[in-house]
Amino acid sequence: MDNGSPPAAPSYPTSLGTSDAETISLLGHDLADDLMGSVGFGELAMWLVTQQRPTPGQVRLFEAVLVALADHGFTPTAIAARLTYLSAPDSVQGALAAGLLGGGSRFLGVTEDCGGFLARALEEHRDGLPRDPEDEAGWDVPARAAVRRARETRSIVPGLGHPVHKERDPRTARLLAIAAEEGLKGPHLRLFEAIGRVHPEVLGRRLPLNGAGVCGAALADLGLPVGLLRGFALLARTAGLLGQLAEETRRPVAGDIYMSVDRNAVSVPPETA
């Protein structure tokens, strides 16, 4: 029965940011007094997602991943951002969005795909994983099974191969070394390393472990949600795209790219079924 009292105000709980007339709070801390000038952006990004403040070693590995993924030159994502900026120089957000929307299964998405592939393999073989993390032969067993399963289902092993780095991806060894130095080489990285050892005997050829794949393994070992790993790749690439747009203002190439395609377009008859 309505007694005339006003309805209770709705409540929307959050552990992230809130504010009032005098203060801004983030993660339970005063933003201005506790965090600004004391917390780095990479540290904050991990903290926001995990709700736990990362250790310096975790931050070092996480930021190494961000650096590894930030920019790879004139990739489709960079070209899309530059061409969008050429078309709409008043819309930096549109140019950034255009570049980020190109992060998929061929570019940037491999980070998440590899993390997911490794997580599924670890779950499937959780009862047979080696007790000793240094037991390479023990890790080779689930790695071999995962590669065989991929071959049987005619699916790819995310993180194997690279269109440019045919022999070795220079990022891979460095990221593995940083993880080892910080005591953060966990099951995802160890399984990925094992895949690098055993895949030639299954696939009949040797492919390098690419940097995007090892980034996914490292992020998963840091305890970040596998379903959000592409977001971290996009976070890194945002910085790269900002650099691309800044360079476009200083040394523009988007107009030349556009004119090259436009002036070299060849008219052909429509295809028929």
Side-chain angles (χ1 to χ4, degrees), residues 111-252:
T111 297
E112 181 175 298
D113 295 343
C114 185
F117 178 88
L118 296 171
R120 290 189 296 273
L122 289 169
E123 175 63 23
E124 183 176 347
H125 300 281
R126 64 183 182 277
D127 295 330
L129 298 178
R131 295 179 181 274
D132 179 2
E134 302 292 338
D135 179 10
E136 290 190 354
W139 286 108
D140 287 352
V141 175
R144 194 176 289 110
V147 177
R148 283 175 176 162
R149 173 71 62 86
R151 183 177 185 184
E152 290 167 359
T153 58
R154 297 186 177 182
S155 56
I156 65 169
V157 178
L160 271 185
H162 193 280
V164 176
H165 307 299
K166 300 297 186 181
E167 296 298 325
R168 59 178 291 274
D169 187 322
R171 299 169 295 174
T172 297
R174 182 60 180 144
L175 286 168
L176 288 168
I178 292 171
E181 290 166 8
E182 299 298 340
L184 294 171
K185 188 185 286 188
H188 298 84
L189 281 169
R190 293 188 185 279
L191 181 60
F192 195 48
E193 278 189 300
I195 287 173
R197 290 192 297 269
V198 306
H199 77 269
E201 67 187 70
V202 180
L203 303 181
R205 57 175 177 153
R206 179 175 295 279
L207 298 167
L209 296 177
N210 67 49
V214 76
C215 284
L219 292 173
D221 275 345
L222 285 170
L224 297 167
V226 172
L228 295 181
L229 296 189
R230 188 174 301 185
F232 295 104
L234 295 173
L235 175 66
R237 190 52 57 91
T238 299
L241 292 175
L242 277 171
Q244 291 282 340
L245 296 179
E247 186 174 76
E248 182 65 23
T249 65
R250 298 190 302 269
R251 192 182 303 122

Side-chain angles (χ1 to χ4, degrees), residues 102-113:
S105 59
R106 292 187 177 179
F107 292 89
L108 293 178
V110 173
T111 297
E112 181 175 298
D113 295 343

Side-chain angles (χ1 to χ4, degrees), residues 15 49 80 84 111 210 237 259:
S15 298
V49 173
T84 302
T111 297
N210 67 49
R237 190 52 57 91
M259 290 302 296

